[in-house]
Amino acid sequence: LGAGADELVAALPAAAPLATPPAAPRRDGRAPTHLVYRGRAIALGPEPLLVGRAPAGARAVAVEGPAAGVSRTHCRLAAEGGDVVLEDLSRHGTFVNGGRVERRVHLAAGDRVRVGTPGVELELVRLEG
């Protein structure tokens, strides 16, 4: 460094402590049996469960509240061969545990699904018995 280079060095203020990241979902690796939305557990099964602003169908969850980024029929969840698969049907994206779904993803109990921005969060659980 040439003359005057030490003039570029300045004391920086102490860094603020980093915020604690949100706790990661507790995944147990087993397929979920229910989707939880607004305190209600909805059974998952071979017949698809549609989620969106205004999904059409016998098994549907209409998300309430701010609908920015939520499609009429946003995603589909269905049991397939012992697993539960989520299929993104939206143009806006569906997120599982913070990561964007690329078409389809296998779900596990403890996963969190977000539709929309800032979004509505749905939780997947496994109920025994």
Side-chain angles (χ1 to χ4, degrees), residues 62-87:
V63 297
E64 299 173 11
V70 180
S71 299
R72 291 175 74 77
T73 303
H74 198 91
C75 61
R76 173 186 305 131
L77 293 91
E80 291 182 5
D83 287 334
V84 173
V85 176
L86 178 144
E87 182 179 1

Side-chain angles (χ1 to χ4, degrees), residues 60-117:
V61 175
V63 297
E64 299 173 11
V70 180
S71 299
R72 291 175 74 77
T73 303
H74 198 91
C75 61
R76 173 186 305 131
L77 293 91
E80 291 182 5
D83 287 334
V84 173
V85 176
L86 178 144
E87 182 179 1
D88 181 19
L89 305 173
S90 74
R91 292 184 304 143
H92 308 290
T94 302
F95 299 82
V96 174
N97 302 327
R100 188 171 182 149
V101 172
E102 298 296 329
R103 262 187 28 136
R104 293 169 47 99
V105 65
H106 289 260
L107 300 170
D111 283 344
R112 292 191 179 120
V113 174
R114 180 175 57 84
V115 296
T117 304

